[in-house]
Amino acid sequence: RRQEKYAATWAQSAGYELELTAEPPASLKGRESRGKYVYLGESLGLTVKTDGIVSSVTPDGVGDEAGMFAGLKLVGVDGYQFTGERLREAVASSPETGRIQLLTLNDEKYSTYTLTYDGGPRYLHAVVRDEQVDRLAQITASRRPASTETDSR
């Protein structure tokens, strides 16, 4: 996908490789809870607020290919009332089911989107390449102020 290729190119230029894993990074868990959203960018290509509003749709992602767009309100997941946890569970069970059905509300009209997806949860992790220096660690390392010793003569 286009977004993953761009991220991979950027990460490689900084000395990292991107790996897809089923476990979200710790930093994402914190941001999700503070921001009150569910990030499924690498799996469904969607970010959904905890109230069910789709806040972003990744171009060429699964949601985009199904015709979804920002502003839709998710009201159901696989026949049950929407919750962020239920949406995560549907993604986790997608290798067995091969699809996720989302009931949405746009203005006063209900629509069903069937997302053909069997990849389970997917999250990008940046891993330092063996031969590279960890540039981000260098940039984010705490810096000690220069010594300010004075001459006491």
Side-chain angles (χ1 to χ4, degrees), residues 86-105:
R86 197 161 278 141
L87 182 57
R88 283 189 186 94
E89 289 169 3
V91 170
S93 64
S94 68
E96 292 84 37
T97 64
R99 63 159 186 77
I100 299 170
Q101 276 198 321
L102 300 176
L103 179 63
T104 65
L105 179 62

Side-chain angles (χ1 to χ4, degrees), residues 14-137:
Y16 292 83
E17 293 289 334
L18 292 181
E19 294 180 354
L20 285 169
T21 65
E23 186 64 28
S27 61
L28 178 60
K29 289 179 184 178
R31 285 185 309 215
E32 280 186 336
S33 64
R34 285 189 306 276
K36 299 184 179 175
Y37 66 90
V38 177
Y39 176 77
L40 299 168
E42 283 78 47
S43 51
L44 301 183
L46 299 173
T47 303
V48 181
K49 296 178 185 177
T50 54
D51 64 359
I53 301 294
V54 175
S55 58
S56 70
V57 179
T58 304
D60 300 326
V62 175
D64 183 44
E65 290 174 358
M68 297 185 74
F69 52 92
L72 280 175
K73 180 175 177 76
L74 300 185
V75 294
V77 179
D78 289 337
Y80 294 93
Q81 183 176 353
F82 168 82
T83 65
E85 189 56 36
R86 197 161 278 141
L87 182 57
R88 283 189 186 94
E89 289 169 3
V91 170
S93 64
S94 68
E96 292 84 37
T97 64
R99 63 159 186 77
I100 299 170
Q101 276 198 321
L102 300 176
L103 179 63
T104 65
L105 179 62
N106 185 33
D107 293 325
E108 294 182 3
K109 184 178 182 202
Y110 288 96
S111 299
T112 301
Y113 291 85
T114 300
L115 307 182
T116 303
Y117 180 73
D118 63 2
R122 294 172 24 147
Y123 298 94
L124 286 175
H125 286 264
V127 179
V128 178
R129 294 192 336 222
D130 291 333
E131 71 276 3
Q132 297 290 322
V133 174
D134 187 349
R135 292 183 188 147
L136 290 179

